[in-house]
Each structure stands twice: as structure tokens, then as C-alpha cells.
Amino acid sequence: MKLLHKVLAALSACVVLSCQSVEREDPMETHMLRLQCKAADDFKLLSRVAVLNIGLESYDYGLITGHGVPPDRPCQVLDFEGRSAPVSVISLAQNYKIGAQTDWALIRFEKINTPRLIRYDLVPFTETTALDNMRVEFAQARGLPENRQSCNLEILDFSENERRVSHNCRSVPGQSGTPVTRRIDGRDTLVGLHIGQLWMLESPRTGRPDKKGYINLFNVETVDEIKALIETYS
């Protein structure tokens, strides 16, 4: 009987401790938002949104995939806890082409009061060779807003005129637009946006069938175009 009382007391202590540890003092960092646009009578999930560190009081600017922009409007952005804001500007990249370097769009929307939303510095990468084997962060799953996955970039050369920045992060359909990120000198930096999957019958590296995620890398020309669009709409 005494042993039983000791066991029950221990279990009660564990329950109390577990109840105390359920609530986190700080919410998890939110690395992205979601884009939804009205198609017919339903809202359809289209793209993730990487929010840029611009510093405006009333509006935020974000980058999405170009192939996530439908002809049907209006659109809104949502966080992962139900807060939303209308999108007032959608601007596709010049010479937009699905799956290419120009597969992105800039959006402007009213600020959402989302705790610990990450806003990214946009730094152009001038040397793609330096990206090979670079460690980056990526979302752990489609339905989660945190970049909890650590993985590597890889440069794939398909020909003299075609290079793709791929990654070995685990990704699923519906993650287009998810930010691929790094922390540089303590600041959150956007490396690129996840575009989709590369299915290869013959990998340039191994010569065997392979599947890789790939991103749009923000080079100098792309960053200049994005900054020019922000200046136009601000």
C-alpha cells in the first residue's frame, strides 16, 4: 500500500510538471505567410509568402511564386493562426516563365499583427559556385510556418547555358514559395524561393535517376528589379 501511494504521488508530480511545461513562454518564429486568391466561389491555397524587411508602417511586401498567381482575384495573405490581410498589389517578374529564374511575383499587403513574423533581408548572390554545399533552412512540412529543416544547396549543370540551384531538403507538393533562408551576421536572409521538384532520369552529378527540390536564386538583376518595383508602389 505504501508503495502504491509512492507511485501515485510520483505520477501526480509528473502530471503537474507536464502541465506546467505545455505552455511555451515564447511562440515559434513564423517564417512565412500564405497566399489565397478567390477562384470561383472557393478560396484555394496557392503559394507561400516570404515577407521582406522593408520597414514601412502600414504595408508589408512579400515574394511569392509567379505560378501561384491566378487570374481570379481578390487575394489575401494569411498567417497560420487565422489572421488575414488583403493584397493590394501583385506584380509578376519581367519575362515571367513558370519554373524559370523569373518564376516570382511581388505582392503588397496590409500588415498582419503576427507575433514573431520573420522579415527577410534580400541580399543578392553574385557567385553561384559559393552556394554549393551551403547549409540553409527550410520548412519542415507543408502545414508548418517554421523553418526547422537544415539541408544543403547543390548547383546542377545541365548544359553550358542552364544551371539550377537545387536542395536536398524534404519537400512536398504545396510548398511552392517557401523561403530558403540563412542567418548571416545575426540577420535572417532570404536565399531563394522553393519552386518545385526536379525529376531527372539522369542526374548531372550521378548519372542516375534522381529527384531534387530547386529554388529561384536572387541574383543582382533580380534584386534590382524587386527594389525598383517596391519603389514604384511605395
Side-chain angles (χ1 to χ4, degrees), residues 67-104:
H67 67 262
V69 178
D72 299 305
R73 311 289 167 82
C75 297
Q76 62 178 350
V77 294
L78 299 92
D79 68 6
F80 287 75
E81 296 181 356
R83 288 174 284 258
S84 64
V87 174
S88 54
V89 169
I90 299 178
S91 183
L92 286 166
Q94 292 181 17
N95 304 315
Y96 160 73
K97 182 179 179 181
I98 187 170
Q101 181 67 34
T102 55
D103 191 352
W104 60 266

PDB file of all heavy atoms in Angstrom, residues 67-104:
ATOM      1  N   HIS A  67       3.942  31.224 -60.509  1.00  0.00           N
ATOM      2  CA  HIS A  67       2.911  30.255 -60.905  1.00  0.00           C
ATOM      3  C   HIS A  67       1.817  30.112 -59.845  1.00  0.00           C
ATOM      4  O   HIS A  67       0.837  29.406 -60.061  1.00  0.00           O
ATOM      5  CB  HIS A  67       3.538  28.884 -61.211  1.00  0.00           C
ATOM      6  CG  HIS A  67       4.122  28.182 -60.029  1.00  0.00           C
ATOM      7  ND1 HIS A  67       5.475  28.211 -59.729  1.00  0.00           N
ATOM      8  CD2 HIS A  67       3.560  27.410 -59.069  1.00  0.00           C
ATOM      9  CE1 HIS A  67       5.716  27.494 -58.643  1.00  0.00           C
ATOM     10  NE2 HIS A  67       4.568  27.001 -58.220  1.00  0.00           N
ATOM     11  N   GLY A  68       1.982  30.818 -58.707  1.00  0.00           N
ATOM     12  CA  GLY A  68       0.935  30.825 -57.698  1.00  0.00           C
ATOM     13  C   GLY A  68      -0.031  31.987 -57.846  1.00  0.00           C
ATOM     14  O   GLY A  68      -0.865  32.204 -56.971  1.00  0.00           O
ATOM     15  N   VAL A  69       0.080  32.739 -58.934  1.00  0.00           N
ATOM     16  CA  VAL A  69      -0.799  33.898 -59.148  1.00  0.00           C
ATOM     17  C   VAL A  69      -1.866  33.533 -60.181  1.00  0.00           C
ATOM     18  O   VAL A  69      -1.557  33.360 -61.350  1.00  0.00           O
ATOM     19  CB  VAL A  69       0.006  35.119 -59.644  1.00  0.00           C
ATOM     20  CG1 VAL A  69      -0.933  36.296 -59.896  1.00  0.00           C
ATOM     21  CG2 VAL A  69       1.078  35.493 -58.639  1.00  0.00           C
ATOM     22  N   PRO A  70      -3.124  33.420 -59.776  1.00  0.00           N
ATOM     23  CA  PRO A  70      -4.195  33.081 -60.717  1.00  0.00           C
ATOM     24  C   PRO A  70      -4.810  34.332 -61.329  1.00  0.00           C
ATOM     25  O   PRO A  70      -4.588  35.446 -60.845  1.00  0.00           O
ATOM     26  CB  PRO A  70      -5.209  32.372 -59.820  1.00  0.00           C
ATOM     27  CG  PRO A  70      -5.085  33.124 -58.534  1.00  0.00           C
ATOM     28  CD  PRO A  70      -3.626  33.536 -58.409  1.00  0.00           C
ATOM     29  N   PRO A  71      -5.602  34.187 -62.372  1.00  0.00           N
ATOM     30  CA  PRO A  71      -6.290  35.351 -62.945  1.00  0.00           C
ATOM     31  C   PRO A  71      -7.436  35.834 -62.059  1.00  0.00           C
ATOM     32  O   PRO A  71      -7.860  36.976 -62.161  1.00  0.00           O
ATOM     33  CB  PRO A  71      -6.809  34.835 -64.285  1.00  0.00           C
ATOM     34  CG  PRO A  71      -6.941  33.356 -64.095  1.00  0.00           C
ATOM     35  CD  PRO A  71      -5.837  32.962 -63.165  1.00  0.00           C
ATOM     36  N   ASP A  72      -7.943  34.959 -61.189  1.00  0.00           N
ATOM     37  CA  ASP A  72      -9.088  35.312 -60.354  1.00  0.00           C
ATOM     38  C   ASP A  72      -8.626  36.055 -59.097  1.00  0.00           C
ATOM     39  O   ASP A  72      -7.701  35.622 -58.427  1.00  0.00           O
ATOM     40  CB  ASP A  72      -9.869  34.054 -59.942  1.00  0.00           C
ATOM     41  CG  ASP A  72     -10.415  33.307 -61.147  1.00  0.00           C
ATOM     42  OD1 ASP A  72     -11.124  33.945 -61.941  1.00  0.00           O
ATOM     43  OD2 ASP A  72     -10.114  32.115 -61.297  1.00  0.00           O
ATOM     44  N   ARG A  73      -9.262  37.159 -58.804  1.00  0.00           N
ATOM     45  CA  ARG A  73      -8.953  37.970 -57.633  1.00  0.00           C
ATOM     46  C   ARG A  73     -10.268  38.227 -56.883  1.00  0.00           C
ATOM     47  O   ARG A  73     -11.328  37.922 -57.408  1.00  0.00           O
ATOM     48  CB  ARG A  73      -8.303  39.304 -58.064  1.00  0.00           C
ATOM     49  CG  ARG A  73      -7.166  39.140 -59.057  1.00  0.00           C
ATOM     50  CD  ARG A  73      -5.923  38.531 -58.419  1.00  0.00           C
ATOM     51  NE  ARG A  73      -4.969  38.093 -59.428  1.00  0.00           N
ATOM     52  CZ  ARG A  73      -4.095  38.877 -60.045  1.00  0.00           C
ATOM     53  NH1 ARG A  73      -4.074  40.158 -59.758  1.00  0.00           N
ATOM     54  NH2 ARG A  73      -3.260  38.393 -60.934  1.00  0.00           N
ATOM     55  N   PRO A  74     -10.251  38.776 -55.671  1.00  0.00           N
ATOM     56  CA  PRO A  74      -9.103  39.335 -54.957  1.00  0.00           C
ATOM     57  C   PRO A  74      -8.286  38.260 -54.262  1.00  0.00           C
ATOM     58  O   PRO A  74      -8.662  37.090 -54.222  1.00  0.00           O
ATOM     59  CB  PRO A  74      -9.774  40.259 -53.941  1.00  0.00           C
ATOM     60  CG  PRO A  74     -11.066  39.570 -53.635  1.00  0.00           C
ATOM     61  CD  PRO A  74     -11.517  38.964 -54.936  1.00  0.00           C
ATOM     62  N   CYS A  75      -7.146  38.707 -53.701  1.00  0.00           N
ATOM     63  CA  CYS A  75      -6.271  37.811 -52.962  1.00  0.00           C
ATOM     64  C   CYS A  75      -6.066  38.347 -51.556  1.00  0.00           C
ATOM     65  O   CYS A  75      -6.274  39.528 -51.283  1.00  0.00           O
ATOM     66  CB  CYS A  75      -4.914  37.672 -53.655  1.00  0.00           C
ATOM     67  SG  CYS A  75      -4.977  36.949 -55.304  1.00  0.00           S
ATOM     68  N   GLN A  76      -5.650  37.465 -50.683  1.00  0.00           N
ATOM     69  CA  GLN A  76      -5.328  37.859 -49.325  1.00  0.00           C
ATOM     70  C   GLN A  76      -4.157  37.009 -48.833  1.00  0.00           C
ATOM     71  O   GLN A  76      -3.856  35.969 -49.418  1.00  0.00           O
ATOM     72  CB  GLN A  76      -6.528  37.665 -48.398  1.00  0.00           C
ATOM     73  CG  GLN A  76      -6.992  36.219 -48.290  1.00  0.00           C
ATOM     74  CD  GLN A  76      -8.156  36.052 -47.327  1.00  0.00           C
ATOM     75  OE1 GLN A  76      -8.514  36.963 -46.599  1.00  0.00           O
ATOM     76  NE2 GLN A  76      -8.746  34.870 -47.316  1.00  0.00           N
ATOM     77  N   VAL A  77      -3.481  37.497 -47.798  1.00  0.00           N
ATOM     78  CA  VAL A  77      -2.458  36.692 -47.139  1.00  0.00           C
ATOM     79  C   VAL A  77      -2.988  36.286 -45.773  1.00  0.00           C
ATOM     80  O   VAL A  77      -3.767  37.011 -45.148  1.00  0.00           O
ATOM     81  CB  VAL A  77      -1.118  37.437 -46.999  1.00  0.00           C
ATOM     82  CG1 VAL A  77      -0.492  37.708 -48.350  1.00  0.00           C
ATOM     83  CG2 VAL A  77      -1.282  38.729 -46.221  1.00  0.00           C
ATOM     84  N   LEU A  78      -2.561  35.110 -45.329  1.00  0.00           N
ATOM     85  CA  LEU A  78      -2.983  34.585 -44.043  1.00  0.00           C
ATOM     86  C   LEU A  78      -1.763  34.081 -43.285  1.00  0.00           C
ATOM     87  O   LEU A  78      -0.820  33.563 -43.880  1.00  0.00           O
ATOM     88  CB  LEU A  78      -3.966  33.419 -44.216  1.00  0.00           C
ATOM     89  CG  LEU A  78      -5.288  33.664 -44.929  1.00  0.00           C
ATOM     90  CD1 LEU A  78      -5.136  33.376 -46.420  1.00  0.00           C
ATOM     91  CD2 LEU A  78      -6.375  32.768 -44.345  1.00  0.00           C
ATOM     92  N   ASP A  79      -1.814  34.239 -41.951  1.00  0.00           N
ATOM     93  CA  ASP A  79      -0.808  33.559 -41.156  1.00  0.00           C
ATOM     94  C   ASP A  79      -1.349  32.167 -40.824  1.00  0.00           C
ATOM     95  O   ASP A  79      -2.368  31.743 -41.365  1.00  0.00           O
ATOM     96  CB  ASP A  79      -0.423  34.375 -39.917  1.00  0.00           C
ATOM     97  CG  ASP A  79      -1.535  34.490 -38.889  1.00  0.00           C
ATOM     98  OD1 ASP A  79      -2.597  33.848 -39.067  1.00  0.00           O
ATOM     99  OD2 ASP A  79      -1.355  35.217 -37.913  1.00  0.00           O
ATOM    100  N   PHE A  80      -0.687  31.450 -39.957  1.00  0.00           N
ATOM    101  CA  PHE A  80      -1.088  30.076 -39.674  1.00  0.00           C
ATOM    102  C   PHE A  80      -1.990  29.981 -38.444  1.00  0.00           C
ATOM    103  O   PHE A  80      -2.213  28.902 -37.917  1.00  0.00           O
ATOM    104  CB  PHE A  80       0.167  29.212 -39.504  1.00  0.00           C
ATOM    105  CG  PHE A  80       0.874  28.954 -40.809  1.00  0.00           C
ATOM    106  CD1 PHE A  80       1.627  29.942 -41.404  1.00  0.00           C
ATOM    107  CD2 PHE A  80       0.774  27.726 -41.446  1.00  0.00           C
ATOM    108  CE1 PHE A  80       2.283  29.719 -42.611  1.00  0.00           C
ATOM    109  CE2 PHE A  80       1.417  27.502 -42.651  1.00  0.00           C
ATOM    110  CZ  PHE A  80       2.170  28.495 -43.231  1.00  0.00           C
ATOM    111  N   GLU A  81      -2.507  31.142 -38.006  1.00  0.00           N
ATOM    112  CA  GLU A  81      -3.423  31.163 -36.870  1.00  0.00           C
ATOM    113  C   GLU A  81      -4.716  31.890 -37.202  1.00  0.00           C
ATOM    114  O   GLU A  81      -5.445  32.308 -36.316  1.00  0.00           O
ATOM    115  CB  GLU A  81      -2.740  31.816 -35.660  1.00  0.00           C
ATOM    116  CG  GLU A  81      -1.536  31.010 -35.168  1.00  0.00           C
ATOM    117  CD  GLU A  81      -0.878  31.649 -33.958  1.00  0.00           C
ATOM    118  OE1 GLU A  81      -1.321  32.754 -33.548  1.00  0.00           O
ATOM    119  OE2 GLU A  81       0.085  31.060 -33.422  1.00  0.00           O
ATOM    120  N   GLY A  82      -4.987  32.090 -38.504  1.00  0.00           N
ATOM    121  CA  GLY A  82      -6.272  32.641 -38.921  1.00  0.00           C
ATOM    122  C   GLY A  82      -6.311  34.123 -39.202  1.00  0.00           C
ATOM    123  O   GLY A  82      -7.321  34.626 -39.690  1.00  0.00           O
ATOM    124  N   ARG A  83      -5.228  34.863 -38.885  1.00  0.00           N
ATOM    125  CA  ARG A  83      -5.218  36.297 -39.195  1.00  0.00           C
ATOM    126  C   ARG A  83      -5.000  36.489 -40.691  1.00  0.00           C
ATOM    127  O   ARG A  83      -4.261  35.720 -41.324  1.00  0.00           O
ATOM    128  CB  ARG A  83      -4.128  37.006 -38.393  1.00  0.00           C
ATOM    129  CG  ARG A  83      -4.443  37.143 -36.904  1.00  0.00           C
ATOM    130  CD  ARG A  83      -3.264  37.720 -36.142  1.00  0.00           C
ATOM    131  NE  ARG A  83      -2.242  36.715 -35.946  1.00  0.00           N
ATOM    132  CZ  ARG A  83      -2.036  36.060 -34.804  1.00  0.00           C
ATOM    133  NH1 ARG A  83      -2.791  36.320 -33.761  1.00  0.00           N
ATOM    134  NH2 ARG A  83      -1.087  35.161 -34.692  1.00  0.00           N
ATOM    135  N   SER A  84      -5.620  37.548 -41.260  1.00  0.00           N
ATOM    136  CA  SER A  84      -5.524  37.759 -42.703  1.00  0.00           C
ATOM    137  C   SER A  84      -5.430  39.245 -43.010  1.00  0.00           C
ATOM    138  O   SER A  84      -5.744  40.092 -42.177  1.00  0.00           O
ATOM    139  CB  SER A  84      -6.733  37.157 -43.427  1.00  0.00           C
ATOM    140  OG  SER A  84      -7.921  37.830 -43.037  1.00  0.00           O
ATOM    141  N   ALA A  85      -4.988  39.538 -44.232  1.00  0.00           N
ATOM    142  CA  ALA A  85      -4.905  40.921 -44.709  1.00  0.00           C
ATOM    143  C   ALA A  85      -5.061  40.916 -46.222  1.00  0.00           C
ATOM    144  O   ALA A  85      -4.575  40.016 -46.909  1.00  0.00           O
ATOM    145  CB  ALA A  85      -3.572  41.558 -44.315  1.00  0.00           C
ATOM    146  N   PRO A  86      -5.767  41.932 -46.785  1.00  0.00           N
ATOM    147  CA  PRO A  86      -5.959  41.984 -48.238  1.00  0.00           C
ATOM    148  C   PRO A  86      -4.678  42.347 -48.974  1.00  0.00           C
ATOM    149  O   PRO A  86      -3.849  43.113 -48.473  1.00  0.00           O
ATOM    150  CB  PRO A  86      -7.021  43.070 -48.409  1.00  0.00           C
ATOM    151  CG  PRO A  86      -6.865  43.947 -47.201  1.00  0.00           C
ATOM    152  CD  PRO A  86      -6.443  43.040 -46.081  1.00  0.00           C
ATOM    153  N   VAL A  87      -4.553  41.814 -50.184  1.00  0.00           N
ATOM    154  CA  VAL A  87      -3.417  42.112 -51.058  1.00  0.00           C
ATOM    155  C   VAL A  87      -3.844  43.208 -52.022  1.00  0.00           C
ATOM    156  O   VAL A  87      -4.853  43.082 -52.723  1.00  0.00           O
ATOM    157  CB  VAL A  87      -2.976  40.863 -51.843  1.00  0.00           C
ATOM    158  CG1 VAL A  87      -1.889  41.211 -52.851  1.00  0.00           C
ATOM    159  CG2 VAL A  87      -2.476  39.792 -50.878  1.00  0.00           C
ATOM    160  N   SER A  88      -3.069  44.301 -52.061  1.00  0.00           N
ATOM    161  CA  SER A  88      -3.433  45.436 -52.911  1.00  0.00           C
ATOM    162  C   SER A  88      -2.598  45.514 -54.184  1.00  0.00           C
ATOM    163  O   SER A  88      -2.978  46.213 -55.128  1.00  0.00           O
ATOM    164  CB  SER A  88      -3.282  46.743 -52.128  1.00  0.00           C
ATOM    165  OG  SER A  88      -1.977  46.866 -51.578  1.00  0.00           O
ATOM    166  N   VAL A  89      -1.443  44.833 -54.230  1.00  0.00           N
ATOM    167  CA  VAL A  89      -0.574  44.859 -55.402  1.00  0.00           C
ATOM    168  C   VAL A  89      -0.053  43.460 -55.674  1.00  0.00           C
ATOM    169  O   VAL A  89       0.373  42.766 -54.754  1.00  0.00           O
ATOM    170  CB  VAL A  89       0.632  45.818 -55.192  1.00  0.00           C
ATOM    171  CG1 VAL A  89       1.661  45.641 -56.307  1.00  0.00           C
ATOM    172  CG2 VAL A  89       0.168  47.257 -55.124  1.00  0.00           C
ATOM    173  N   ILE A  90      -0.126  43.048 -56.924  1.00  0.00           N
ATOM    174  CA  ILE A  90       0.526  41.818 -57.386  1.00  0.00           C
ATOM    175  C   ILE A  90       1.247  42.155 -58.683  1.00  0.00           C
ATOM    176  O   ILE A  90       0.622  42.590 -59.650  1.00  0.00           O
ATOM    177  CB  ILE A  90      -0.471  40.672 -57.635  1.00  0.00           C
ATOM    178  CG1 ILE A  90      -1.215  40.302 -56.344  1.00  0.00           C
ATOM    179  CG2 ILE A  90       0.250  39.442 -58.181  1.00  0.00           C
ATOM    180  CD1 ILE A  90      -2.248  39.202 -56.534  1.00  0.00           C
ATOM    181  N   SER A  91       2.555  41.973 -58.711  1.00  0.00           N
ATOM    182  CA  SER A  91       3.338  42.312 -59.900  1.00  0.00           C
ATOM    183  C   SER A  91       4.257  41.151 -60.261  1.00  0.00           C
ATOM    184  O   SER A  91       5.176  40.812 -59.504  1.00  0.00           O
ATOM    185  CB  SER A  91       4.165  43.578 -59.642  1.00  0.00           C
ATOM    186  OG  SER A  91       4.870  43.959 -60.803  1.00  0.00           O
ATOM    187  N   LEU A  92       4.008  40.537 -61.401  1.00  0.00           N
ATOM    188  CA  LEU A  92       4.851  39.443 -61.877  1.00  0.00           C
ATOM    189  C   LEU A  92       6.201  39.966 -62.351  1.00  0.00           C
ATOM    190  O   LEU A  92       6.338  41.122 -62.758  1.00  0.00           O
ATOM    191  CB  LEU A  92       4.165  38.715 -63.027  1.00  0.00           C
ATOM    192  CG  LEU A  92       2.991  37.798 -62.658  1.00  0.00           C
ATOM    193  CD1 LEU A  92       2.208  37.438 -63.910  1.00  0.00           C
ATOM    194  CD2 LEU A  92       3.473  36.547 -61.954  1.00  0.00           C
ATOM    195  N   ALA A  93       7.200  39.105 -62.309  1.00  0.00           N
ATOM    196  CA  ALA A  93       8.529  39.460 -62.807  1.00  0.00           C
ATOM    197  C   ALA A  93       8.478  39.734 -64.307  1.00  0.00           C
ATOM    198  O   ALA A  93       7.603  39.217 -65.023  1.00  0.00           O
ATOM    199  CB  ALA A  93       9.507  38.332 -62.525  1.00  0.00           C
ATOM    200  N   GLN A  94       9.413  40.544 -64.773  1.00  0.00           N
ATOM    201  CA  GLN A  94       9.526  40.746 -66.211  1.00  0.00           C
ATOM    202  C   GLN A  94       9.873  39.413 -66.865  1.00  0.00           C
ATOM    203  O   GLN A  94      10.649  38.618 -66.333  1.00  0.00           O
ATOM    204  CB  GLN A  94      10.621  41.764 -66.512  1.00  0.00           C
ATOM    205  CG  GLN A  94      10.315  43.174 -66.064  1.00  0.00           C
ATOM    206  CD  GLN A  94      11.439  44.133 -66.416  1.00  0.00           C
ATOM    207  OE1 GLN A  94      12.295  43.838 -67.249  1.00  0.00           O
ATOM    208  NE2 GLN A  94      11.438  45.291 -65.785  1.00  0.00           N
ATOM    209  N   ASN A  95       9.268  39.186 -68.043  1.00  0.00           N
ATOM    210  CA  ASN A  95       9.522  37.951 -68.797  1.00  0.00           C
ATOM    211  C   ASN A  95       9.230  36.719 -67.952  1.00  0.00           C
ATOM    212  O   ASN A  95       9.968  35.715 -68.002  1.00  0.00           O
ATOM    213  CB  ASN A  95      10.969  37.913 -69.296  1.00  0.00           C
ATOM    214  CG  ASN A  95      11.330  39.118 -70.130  1.00  0.00           C
ATOM    215  OD1 ASN A  95      10.570  39.540 -71.001  1.00  0.00           O
ATOM    216  ND2 ASN A  95      12.497  39.703 -69.866  1.00  0.00           N
ATOM    217  N   TYR A  96       8.144  36.797 -67.169  1.00  0.00           N
ATOM    218  CA  TYR A  96       7.776  35.673 -66.310  1.00  0.00           C
ATOM    219  C   TYR A  96       7.649  34.383 -67.111  1.00  0.00           C
ATOM    220  O   TYR A  96       7.067  34.343 -68.189  1.00  0.00           O
ATOM    221  CB  TYR A  96       6.463  35.958 -65.591  1.00  0.00           C
ATOM    222  CG  TYR A  96       5.791  34.698 -65.090  1.00  0.00           C
ATOM    223  CD1 TYR A  96       6.307  34.023 -63.990  1.00  0.00           C
ATOM    224  CD2 TYR A  96       4.686  34.172 -65.731  1.00  0.00           C
ATOM    225  CE1 TYR A  96       5.726  32.854 -63.535  1.00  0.00           C
ATOM    226  CE2 TYR A  96       4.081  33.004 -65.285  1.00  0.00           C
ATOM    227  CZ  TYR A  96       4.610  32.348 -64.184  1.00  0.00           C
ATOM    228  OH  TYR A  96       4.022  31.183 -63.752  1.00  0.00           O
ATOM    229  N   LYS A  97       8.213  33.314 -66.541  1.00  0.00           N
ATOM    230  CA  LYS A  97       8.094  31.988 -67.131  1.00  0.00           C
ATOM    231  C   LYS A  97       8.069  30.971 -66.009  1.00  0.00           C
ATOM    232  O   LYS A  97       8.923  30.991 -65.117  1.00  0.00           O
ATOM    233  CB  LYS A  97       9.266  31.695 -68.082  1.00  0.00           C
ATOM    234  CG  LYS A  97       9.168  30.342 -68.777  1.00  0.00           C
ATOM    235  CD  LYS A  97      10.344  30.123 -69.708  1.00  0.00           C
ATOM    236  CE  LYS A  97      10.242  28.750 -70.378  1.00  0.00           C
ATOM    237  NZ  LYS A  97      11.408  28.503 -71.276  1.00  0.00           N
ATOM    238  N   ILE A  98       7.098  30.091 -66.047  1.00  0.00           N
ATOM    239  CA  ILE A  98       6.941  29.112 -64.982  1.00  0.00           C
ATOM    240  C   ILE A  98       8.173  28.206 -64.887  1.00  0.00           C
ATOM    241  O   ILE A  98       8.700  27.742 -65.894  1.00  0.00           O
ATOM    242  CB  ILE A  98       5.654  28.274 -65.197  1.00  0.00           C
ATOM    243  CG1 ILE A  98       5.409  27.366 -63.984  1.00  0.00           C
ATOM    244  CG2 ILE A  98       5.721  27.475 -66.486  1.00  0.00           C
ATOM    245  CD1 ILE A  98       4.048  26.698 -64.016  1.00  0.00           C
ATOM    246  N   GLY A  99       8.635  28.007 -63.665  1.00  0.00           N
ATOM    247  CA  GLY A  99       9.761  27.125 -63.418  1.00  0.00           C
ATOM    248  C   GLY A  99      11.121  27.716 -63.735  1.00  0.00           C
ATOM    249  O   GLY A  99      12.141  27.076 -63.505  1.00  0.00           O
ATOM    250  N   ALA A 100      11.157  28.969 -64.240  1.00  0.00           N
ATOM    251  CA  ALA A 100      12.422  29.594 -64.631  1.00  0.00           C
ATOM    252  C   ALA A 100      12.882  30.564 -63.548  1.00  0.00           C
ATOM    253  O   ALA A 100      12.253  30.709 -62.497  1.00  0.00           O
ATOM    254  CB  ALA A 100      12.256  30.322 -65.967  1.00  0.00           C
ATOM    255  N   GLN A 101      13.989  31.257 -63.816  1.00  0.00           N
ATOM    256  CA  GLN A 101      14.512  32.237 -62.876  1.00  0.00           C
ATOM    257  C   GLN A 101      13.525  33.371 -62.633  1.00  0.00           C
ATOM    258  O   GLN A 101      13.559  34.020 -61.572  1.00  0.00           O
ATOM    259  CB  GLN A 101      15.835  32.806 -63.408  1.00  0.00           C
ATOM    260  CG  GLN A 101      16.520  33.823 -62.519  1.00  0.00           C
ATOM    261  CD  GLN A 101      17.024  33.216 -61.207  1.00  0.00           C
ATOM    262  OE1 GLN A 101      17.429  32.060 -61.190  1.00  0.00           O
ATOM    263  NE2 GLN A 101      17.000  33.987 -60.136  1.00  0.00           N
ATOM    264  N   THR A 102      12.628  33.601 -63.566  1.00  0.00           N
ATOM    265  CA  THR A 102      11.637  34.675 -63.436  1.00  0.00           C
ATOM    266  C   THR A 102      10.314  34.195 -62.847  1.00  0.00           C
ATOM    267  O   THR A 102       9.304  34.900 -62.935  1.00  0.00           O
ATOM    268  CB  THR A 102      11.372  35.307 -64.816  1.00  0.00           C
ATOM    269  OG1 THR A 102      10.994  34.266 -65.739  1.00  0.00           O
ATOM    270  CG2 THR A 102      12.605  36.026 -65.331  1.00  0.00           C
ATOM    271  N   ASP A 103      10.298  33.016 -62.241  1.00  0.00           N
ATOM    272  CA  ASP A 103       9.068  32.482 -61.652  1.00  0.00           C
ATOM    273  C   ASP A 103       8.873  33.059 -60.246  1.00  0.00           C
ATOM    274  O   ASP A 103       8.982  32.362 -59.239  1.00  0.00           O
ATOM    275  CB  ASP A 103       9.117  30.955 -61.599  1.00  0.00           C
ATOM    276  CG  ASP A 103       7.765  30.341 -61.250  1.00  0.00           C
ATOM    277  OD1 ASP A 103       6.831  31.092 -60.911  1.00  0.00           O
ATOM    278  OD2 ASP A 103       7.648  29.100 -61.303  1.00  0.00           O
ATOM    279  N   TRP A 104       8.611  34.371 -60.182  1.00  0.00           N
ATOM    280  CA  TRP A 104       8.334  35.020 -58.907  1.00  0.00           C
ATOM    281  C   TRP A 104       7.414  36.216 -59.141  1.00  0.00           C
ATOM    282  O   TRP A 104       7.250  36.684 -60.259  1.00  0.00           O
ATOM    283  CB  TRP A 104       9.626  35.473 -58.205  1.00  0.00           C
ATOM    284  CG  TRP A 104      10.464  36.466 -58.975  1.00  0.00           C
ATOM    285  CD1 TRP A 104      11.504  36.184 -59.803  1.00  0.00           C
ATOM    286  CD2 TRP A 104      10.313  37.896 -59.000  1.00  0.00           C
ATOM    287  NE1 TRP A 104      12.019  37.334 -60.345  1.00  0.00           N
ATOM    288  CE2 TRP A 104      11.330  38.404 -59.862  1.00  0.00           C
ATOM    289  CE3 TRP A 104       9.460  38.803 -58.376  1.00  0.00           C
ATOM    290  CZ2 TRP A 104      11.477  39.771 -60.115  1.00  0.00           C
ATOM    291  CZ3 TRP A 104       9.604  40.164 -58.625  1.00  0.00           C
ATOM    292  CH2 TRP A 104      10.610  40.629 -59.482  1.00  0.00           C
TER     293      TRP A 104
END
